[in-house]
Amino acid sequence: TRIDLAQSHFQMLAGVCIEFCVVTRRLDLLFGPIFRRFQSVHYTNVFLDVLEPYVLNDKLHYIAPDAMAQFVEHCKASNDVATVERCLLHMDVTIMDFDSILSLLRKNDMYSALLHVFAHGLNDFITPLEILMEAIFDAADTFDLNTPRRLDGVHQNKFEQYGYKAILYLQHCFKGQTFPQGRDLKPEERVETLRPQILTFLQQEQYSPSISVTKSDVVMRKSHSTGLRACAYPYMHVLMLVDSKALLTTLTLALDAPGAKFVESESKAEPVAAWDVEVGDENGETVLQQMRRNGMSSNTPGEEEIDILCPDRQHLVNILSSVVYVFESEGANAKMGNALQSQVAKDAFLDFMAKYLLRGVVRAPKSLTLSIISRMSSRSISPKDSPARLFAQDEVIQLLKALPRDSYDRHEVLATVKQSRMLRAALLLHKEGVTVCLDGRENVCALSEHFVSAIDCYLVDEDLKFRKEVFDYAKKECVVASVATSMMCVGDNKEATNAHELLRKALHTKLSDLVSLDAVLTAQLVAEIFIDDLDEVMNSLKSVEGGEIQFKFLHSIISEDLSRADPVAGQVLNANLSIDHHQTYLSLMAQFHPDMVYQHLSTHDNYRTEECLKLCQEYEIADASAYLLERMGNISSALQLMLQTLEGRMMTLKRIIRGIGPSGYSFDRNALRRTGGLGRRKQDHNLAENEKKEKEIQSVKRILIVSLDLCERNSGPSSARTEHGSQLWFNVLDRLINAKGFLRLAKELPEHAAIMSAVLSELLQMTMQRMVSNIPLPDLVRKITTDHSGNRLGEFREMIMSMLKTYSCEVDVFTRAADVMHHDVRCMSLEKKRLKLRGSRVQSVSGVQLGKRVFPSKIKAIDDITSSIILAVDSEGDATTREDILDDVTRSDVKNKDIVAVALSKLRRKRERISGQKKHRVWGRAQTTVNMMTTSDVNFCKGKSSEAAFMGPRHIGALSGAEHYGRLG
């Protein structure tokens, strides 16, 4: 207890002393008499424990060397050396004794604090890194490098601990941040000079420590020993052993830094085929040695920029390649080689290379390029259409586009991408192969193979829009080959072969696949390339899929789908089709799509009627057979065939309705829940039967419509033909009315009979609606009341009510239309009368103002005009002559200066005409002697038609000649 009280007393005393000295800034007192007094009473540990919080809280930025040594020993005794490093990060290292503190840190392996002290105190970033690398070399010689890394990232030995610390330090430096705080490095210009210094240090070929490092006798003894120090590029080598992926990611920070400048060496201008890491040239000198001998002499910068230029990136990737793939150095042993050859290290390096090959800043030999593409292709081993697979394929395509054509072996790369199912990348290589063959740089025998393979790559793609791009590609290549002037040689006999013919033959073999993709675009392609070989094209498609491909091709042409897409191509192909082609098309249509035959026969006439009839009878196509019988004049047989087919379809419909259970009419969820899976299966069965029923009902309606069309085509205005046409209509009506008899609906279940009755009623209504437009209504009523008087007329109730309702609607529409027309005519007449009675204010005559003083010559001219010529007044009140509106009699009278006589004669004739008419009543009143109505108004009141009622083109504003209003006597 007494010891605890004493320790508590010294803790309180130490706190007071430190607080006083920090506030008064008397550090000499704190680390002088006060510190010695605590030492004398053996309570130094208490003093140091109280001192630590002041440092960590940034209240105290300096510790004297003696106190620091005691503090380090105290932390080591407590197994807490990290506390020393934490405190150093909060201290002002510029006022510390560097020799003592650095020796203390190196002796105790406190490398984080060492890096901090060198960087902040001496502005030196390379020396502490070199010291740390020495510790990594020592640890590599001591520990097993093949020990697997722990998944949780915990370091298992000093090699991992120091190695990851060095990589982390490099990341901070390349980012322009202080280590380990992560603050921005000041000044910013220091970052530009620091980056090339670190890269240059890492790229040292031989181990050559600096003077500051070799001061240690231990390092001097190890500087020429075996191990990683003896390897080529030892610093890059040992860091790759630590974590190759992390190191390459760190180097990426330097290479991708914004504003970073790099030296461009002469080796970059050398041919890519000469770049080889493994094999040297004729003199035994490898390219790496050539680059080191050449240095950076090609683009030597000025002295003002030398500090900010980073080493050549090509040289860096060469070093990395040698570290990963070459292990022939004397110092490399088996365990190091096995570690470097791990797949993780190789994959990381290949990913690193792919990134900068894509940017075009580095190059690689063909073997390395193939490995890179293989690595990128391995990522596509995933389900189809997955984002990872598509992204990997896009990366490979971009890389192939960025690389020079002589930087990789196209055949090896093609085999690699095909193995990985990267078909778009393979397509790019096949296109390149076609181009090379057309240019004559490769044997023409490979032309067809590359062209066909390119088409196959298009056809198997998942994207439909991309697949259709094959047509543009095939067309472009054939056009390019057709205009090629050079002839290519095949084999040893030097036989000249036209590239265009080779591509045409190759494309001819893929026409069936192209038709399956898009028949219209294929027909357009044939019209441009194979128009002279149309028969060969047809024969090649004949045996594919039993002729269905040939049908699709012909259908795209004859159905005018091609004409809508390309009128020129459609016209060309239709002109080249013969009657045999049309007959082939009909036979294929009867085989694959019998429901389309009738529509085609009714809209086209390019076929042989007798052959088509045999064909339709062979495939039992009733509607088409009936139409052909009609064309051959056998109308009765055609209708009889359609009616028999109609009865057969109705019997089939009845059998289908029988198979529908009660649940097919109403969906009972409670019953379905009670019956469980059995009820659900029954419900699914009924749904399928309902769909089948609806399909059969539509088929029955289609047969009836074809029959009605036949009747309508054979109904005409002549009496004989009308009688024959009426009998056709009545045959159809009789067959529908008697349908209930032969269907025996009375013996069916009520719900089944109700469905069939509803179908028959709809069929009867369709028939009557078509009949009323072709048969007189009295004949139709007589047919119903006479021939079917024994039947219940209630069956016709809905049909008759529908007919009467239709007639009533038509009468209402016509009545309203007549009312609208009469109202419109009346309004037009009133407007015409208003315009005729309207006067015009004349302000001038031929430009001469009235009411003002006028010269005698102008007065005489005005008198001549007004007494001889009819005037027209414009909108501004100026009266001008209009000789064009005068009739011949009036014009001759005006010319004879006898206008008064002409006017009197006209009035006399008009009065005689009016007085000769009988008086009549208008609107219930006797016509008076004074009448303001025009002749058109009078005729309208009498119910007679007038000129205004003529529904022709209306000329707005064109009025007839003036009439006399206000009759006297």
Side-chain angles (χ1 to χ4, degrees):
T1 304
R2 181 176 300 176
I3 295 176
D4 293 339
L5 289 175
Q7 184 174 359
S8 175
H9 169 74
F10 279 103
Q11 286 178 348
M12 180 183 63
L13 180 61
V16 173
C17 294
I18 294 173
E19 184 71 24
F20 172 79
C21 293
V22 168
V23 172
T24 59
R25 300 181 181 179
R26 291 294 307 276
L27 299 183
D28 57 335
L29 179 62
L30 177 63
F31 295 109
I34 296 177
F35 180 69
R36 288 193 296 270
R37 183 57 60 98
F38 274 89
Q39 282 182 319
S40 62
V41 295
H42 305 291
Y43 277 94
T44 308
N45 295 338
V46 174
F47 179 85
L48 295 175
D49 289 337
V50 177
L51 186 67
E52 177 187 346
Y54 285 89
V55 177
L56 295 178
N57 292 325
D58 295 328
K59 292 183 177 181
L60 182 63
H61 299 284
Y62 173 77
I63 299 178
D66 296 339
M68 176 60 71
Q70 293 289 333
F71 182 64
V72 171
E73 293 298 331
H74 170 66
C75 292
K76 288 179 63 177
S78 303
N79 198 18
D80 190 15
V81 181
T83 302
V84 179
E85 292 187 306
R86 288 198 302 268
C87 291
L88 284 174
L89 297 178
H90 293 269
M91 296 172 62
D92 186 3
V93 297
T94 58
I95 60 176
M96 299 176 65
D97 184 3
F98 286 102
D99 292 334
S100 59
I101 192 64
L102 291 178
S103 60
L104 182 64
L105 296 177
R106 291 182 63 175
K107 179 181 178 181
N108 294 279
D109 297 334
M110 293 185 289
Y111 295 106
S112 295
L114 182 70
L115 295 170
H116 172 73
V117 171
F118 266 100
H120 287 267
L122 302 176
N123 196 21
D124 185 359
F125 294 84
I126 304 301
T127 301
L129 177 61
E130 193 173 2
I131 296 173
L132 179 59
M133 295 299 297
E134 289 297 328
I136 297 174
F137 284 131
D138 294 339
D141 294 337
T142 305
F143 299 99
D144 184 10
L145 303 183
N146 286 328
T147 304
R149 303 290 191 268
R150 291 182 52 169
L151 297 179
D152 56 3
V154 177
H155 302 150
Q156 304 177 84
N157 49 53
K158 290 187 177 181
F159 175 75
E160 294 182 17
Q161 179 183 356
Y162 297 157
Y164 280 107
K165 189 185 295 291
I167 293 176
L168 183 62
Y169 174 73
L170 294 176
Q171 290 182 358
H172 279 74
C173 293
F174 289 147
K175 290 180 181 179
Q177 298 175 349
T178 60
F179 179 83
Q181 297 93 334
R183 303 189 185 98
D184 291 338
L185 188 62
K186 300 297 178 64
E188 296 181 359
E189 293 77 8
R190 183 68 180 100
V191 180
E192 301 296 330
T193 59
L194 177 59
R195 190 182 302 116
Q197 290 177 2
I198 295 179
L199 289 176
T200 303
F201 170 76
L202 294 176
Q203 295 182 25
Q204 293 183 34
E205 181 183 5
Q206 297 178 351
Y207 174 72
S208 56
S210 61
I211 299 176
S212 60
V213 176
T214 57
K215 289 180 180 180
S216 173
D217 295 336
V218 177
V219 176
M220 285 293 294
R221 288 193 302 267
K222 293 183 179 181
S223 60
H224 300 289
S225 61
T226 60
L228 290 179
R229 290 184 176 89
C231 296
Y233 308 102
Y235 300 111
M236 197 73 75
H237 204 132
V238 71
L239 291 178
M240 287 289 287
L241 280 172
V242 174
D243 193 325
S244 57
K245 187 175 182 179
L247 176 62
L248 294 174
T249 303
T250 303
L251 293 176
T252 300
L253 297 175
L255 299 181
D256 296 345
K261 298 180 181 180
F262 296 87
V263 175
E264 303 295 338
S265 65
E266 289 182 351
S267 61
K268 193 168 185 179
E270 296 176 357
V272 178
W275 196 88
D276 196 356
V277 175
E278 297 84 359
V279 182
D281 60 4
E282 297 178 353
N283 299 323
E285 184 180 19
T286 63
V287 176
L288 297 180
Q289 295 171 347
Q290 295 175 11
M291 295 176 63
R292 290 191 295 271
R293 175 171 51 80
N294 294 333
M296 296 172 285
S297 60
S298 61
N299 295 316
T300 303
E303 294 182 359
E304 65 278 3
E305 297 182 2
I306 191 65
D307 292 337
I308 64 173
L309 284 179
C310 298
D312 182 22
R313 287 170 290 193
Q314 183 66 54
H315 184 47
L316 175 62
V317 297
N318 294 350
I319 294 172
L320 294 174
S321 178
S322 65
V323 171
V324 173
Y325 287 99
V326 181
F327 308 107
E328 297 179 357
S329 300
E330 295 181 358
N333 53 32
K335 67 175 184 178
M336 299 174 188
N338 293 332
L340 283 175
Q341 286 178 341
S342 66
Q343 192 62 39
V344 176
K346 289 183 179 180
D347 290 345
F349 173 69
L350 294 176
D351 293 339
F352 177 83
M353 282 294 299
K355 178 178 181 180
Y356 293 100
L357 280 177
L358 185 60
R359 295 185 182 181
V361 297
V362 298
R363 293 180 299 172
K366 292 184 178 181
S367 58
L368 182 57
T369 303
L370 180 62
S371 300
I372 293 171
I373 295 177
S374 300
R375 162 63 180 165
M376 298 173 69
S377 302
S378 64
R379 303 179 193 171
S380 64
I381 304 177
S382 56
K384 289 185 176 181
D385 298 334
S386 64
R389 181 184 181 88
L390 298 177
F391 180 75
Q393 182 169 232
D394 291 340
E395 280 190 330
V396 173
I397 293 174
Q398 293 176 8
L399 179 60
L400 292 175
K401 290 180 179 180
L403 290 175
R405 293 298 176 260
D406 55 353
S407 63
Y408 58 88
D409 190 330
R410 188 177 68 253
H411 301 288
E412 294 180 353
V413 174
L414 184 58
T416 300
V417 296
K418 280 187 175 181
Q419 185 178 2
S420 302
R421 300 293 298 169
M422 305 184 73
L423 298 178
R424 292 196 182 183
L427 172 62
L428 180 64
L429 295 172
H430 283 304
K431 286 183 176 181
E432 180 186 345
V434 172
T435 304
V436 170
C437 292
L438 291 176
D439 293 341
R441 291 176 287 167
E442 193 171 307
N443 195 335
V444 72
C445 294
L447 177 61
S448 299
E449 179 183 355
H450 284 301
F451 185 62
V452 172
S453 299
I455 294 177
D456 291 335
C457 291
Y458 272 112
L459 295 178
V460 298
D461 196 86
E462 300 294 332
D463 187 3
L464 177 60
K465 184 177 180 180
F466 182 80
R467 290 204 302 269
K468 290 186 177 182
E469 293 179 6
V470 66
F471 297 99
D472 293 333
Y473 169 71
K475 189 186 308 180
K476 182 190 71 173
E477 292 296 344
C478 289
V479 170
V480 170
S482 64
V483 300
T485 57
S486 62
M487 305 297 290
M488 302 182 182
C489 297
V490 181
D492 297 332
N493 56 0
K494 303 298 182 181
E495 180 184 358
T497 304
N498 195 316
H500 179 59
E501 291 300 325
L502 289 176
L503 292 182
R504 288 180 76 253
K505 291 180 181 179
L507 182 60
H508 192 278
T509 61
K510 304 302 295 182
L511 285 179
S512 58
D513 296 330
L514 296 177
V515 172
S516 300
L517 175 60
D518 194 310
V520 175
L521 294 178
T522 306
Q524 187 177 1
L525 189 66
V526 170
E528 297 186 16
I529 301 176
F530 299 101
I531 189 60
D532 296 330
D533 303 323
L534 187 58
D535 291 333
E536 295 183 8
V537 172
M538 297 295 298
N539 292 331
S540 65
L541 300 177
K542 185 176 182 180
S543 59
V544 182
E545 296 184 11
E548 188 172 1
I549 297 298
Q550 188 181 18
F551 169 76
K552 290 181 180 180
F553 178 74
L554 288 171
H555 180 72
S556 65
I557 303 172
I558 300 176
S559 64
E560 298 184 354
D561 291 341
L562 177 61
S563 298
R564 286 188 288 270
D566 189 346
V568 177
Q571 184 178 1
V572 170
L573 284 180
N574 276 294
N576 283 270
L577 290 180
S578 62
I579 188 68
D580 294 332
H581 293 149
H582 286 274
Q583 202 66 31
T584 302
Y585 173 63
L586 271 173
S587 63
L588 294 173
M589 183 187 296
Q591 180 180 355
F592 298 110
H593 301 280
D595 54 327
M596 297 171 55
V597 177
Y598 172 75
Q599 181 66 24
H600 176 77
L601 294 176
S602 61
T603 54
H604 296 78
D605 55 0
N606 296 329
Y607 53 85
R608 301 184 184 97
T609 305
E610 294 181 358
E611 293 183 11
C612 289
L613 179 59
K614 293 180 181 179
L615 184 67
C616 294
Q617 290 175 349
E618 178 184 355
Y619 287 97
E620 298 180 353
I621 308 176
D623 50 358
S625 299
Y627 178 77
L628 293 173
L629 287 172
E630 179 189 357
R631 287 198 60 177
M632 298 173 67
N634 198 349
I635 300 174
S636 300
S637 299
L639 182 60
Q640 187 67 21
L641 176 61
M642 292 305 302
L643 294 178
Q644 291 177 359
T645 306
L646 180 64
E647 291 179 355
R649 290 295 177 87
M650 285 192 292
M651 292 296 296
T652 303
L653 177 62
K654 187 182 73 169
R655 289 193 294 269
I656 293 176
I657 294 175
R658 283 178 179 176
I660 302 178
S663 59
Y665 310 104
S666 61
F667 183 70
D668 189 354
R669 294 184 181 272
N670 294 327
L672 181 61
R673 189 181 299 109
R674 289 193 300 270
T675 56
L678 179 62
R680 187 174 300 278
R681 287 193 297 271
K682 188 176 181 181
Q683 184 71 25
D684 294 339
H685 172 72
N686 290 331
L687 290 176
E689 291 294 329
N690 279 329
E691 293 178 359
K692 189 176 180 180
K693 178 198 70 174
E694 293 298 330
K695 183 178 180 180
E696 191 64 27
I697 289 175
Q698 295 301 322
S699 177
V700 171
K701 290 181 180 179
R702 185 167 58 252
I703 294 296
L704 178 61
I705 290 173
V706 173
S707 303
L708 298 178
D709 290 341
L710 186 149
C711 297
E712 189 171 6
R713 284 193 298 268
N714 291 275
S715 299
S718 62
S719 58
R721 189 173 181 184
T722 302
E723 183 179 356
H724 178 69
S726 299
Q727 186 60 42
L728 296 177
W729 289 101
F730 292 153
N731 289 339
V732 177
L733 182 63
D734 293 340
R735 194 65 61 95
L736 291 177
I737 292 175
N738 297 328
K740 287 187 178 181
F742 72 82
L743 290 176
R744 299 180 182 181
L745 298 181
K747 296 183 179 181
E748 300 292 331
L749 293 176
E751 56 269 21
H752 295 167
I755 296 176
M756 286 300 302
S757 298
V759 173
L760 289 174
S761 299
E762 189 175 359
L763 297 178
L764 277 172
Q765 188 172 355
M766 291 171 56
T767 304
M768 296 300 294
Q769 289 176 351
R770 296 283 294 273
M771 290 179 66
V772 295
S773 301
N774 297 275
I775 299 177
L777 184 60
D779 295 345
L780 182 58
V781 175
R782 189 182 304 111
K783 172 68 177 176
I784 296 175
T785 56
T786 302
D787 295 353
H788 302 282
S789 58
N791 296 344
R792 296 176 57 187
L793 294 179
E795 298 176 355
F796 301 96
R797 178 176 180 179
E798 294 182 2
M799 179 177 58
I800 295 175
M801 291 297 295
S802 176
M803 292 170 52
L804 295 177
K805 186 176 180 180
T806 302
Y807 276 113
S808 176
C809 292
E810 291 179 355
V811 170
D812 290 342
V813 170
F814 292 150
T815 303
R816 299 296 186 272
D819 293 343
V820 171
M821 182 190 68
H822 289 304
H823 180 270
D824 189 22
V825 171
R826 178 65 180 173
C827 293
M828 291 173 59
S829 300
L830 293 177
E831 179 65 17
K832 183 177 180 181
K833 177 181 177 181
R834 185 185 67 80
L835 293 174
K836 289 182 177 181
L837 293 176
R838 184 182 64 185
S840 300
R841 180 182 180 184
V842 178
Q843 297 181 349
S844 61
V845 178
S846 296
V848 180
Q849 294 290 333
L850 300 179
K852 296 183 180 181
R853 183 176 180 182
V854 184
F855 294 101
S857 60
K858 291 188 177 182
I859 293 176
K860 185 176 184 302
I862 293 174
D863 293 339
D864 293 339
I865 292 174
T866 56
S867 61
S868 60
I869 304 298
I870 294 179
L871 302 179
V873 183
D874 58 13
S875 59
E876 298 180 357
D878 183 29
T880 57
T881 61
R882 288 190 60 187
E883 298 181 355
D884 56 329
I885 64 174
L886 299 177
D887 54 15
D888 296 337
V889 178
T890 306
R891 189 181 302 279
S892 60
D893 291 342
V894 171
K895 290 182 179 179
N896 295 329
K897 305 290 186 172
D898 199 9
I899 191 170
V900 178
V902 172
L904 290 176
S905 63
K906 290 179 65 176
L907 289 174
R908 190 179 295 111
R909 289 196 300 271
K910 191 171 184 179
R911 183 174 297 175
E912 289 175 355
R913 185 174 66 252
I914 294 174
S915 61
Q917 295 177 353
K918 294 181 179 181
K919 293 183 178 181
H920 55 277
R921 300 185 63 83
V922 179
W923 297 97
R925 295 176 296 174
Q927 182 178 1
T928 59
T929 57
V930 180
N931 188 3
M932 300 298 292
M933 298 181 65
T934 64
T935 305
S936 299
D937 296 339
V938 175
N939 291 334
F940 179 76
C941 294
K942 292 180 180 179
K944 300 179 181 180
S945 62
S946 62
E947 296 178 357
F950 178 73
M951 302 303 294
R954 301 184 182 182
H955 302 285
I956 305 301
L959 304 179
S960 61
E963 296 185 9
H964 175 69
Y965 293 93
R967 303 171 179 83
L968 300 177

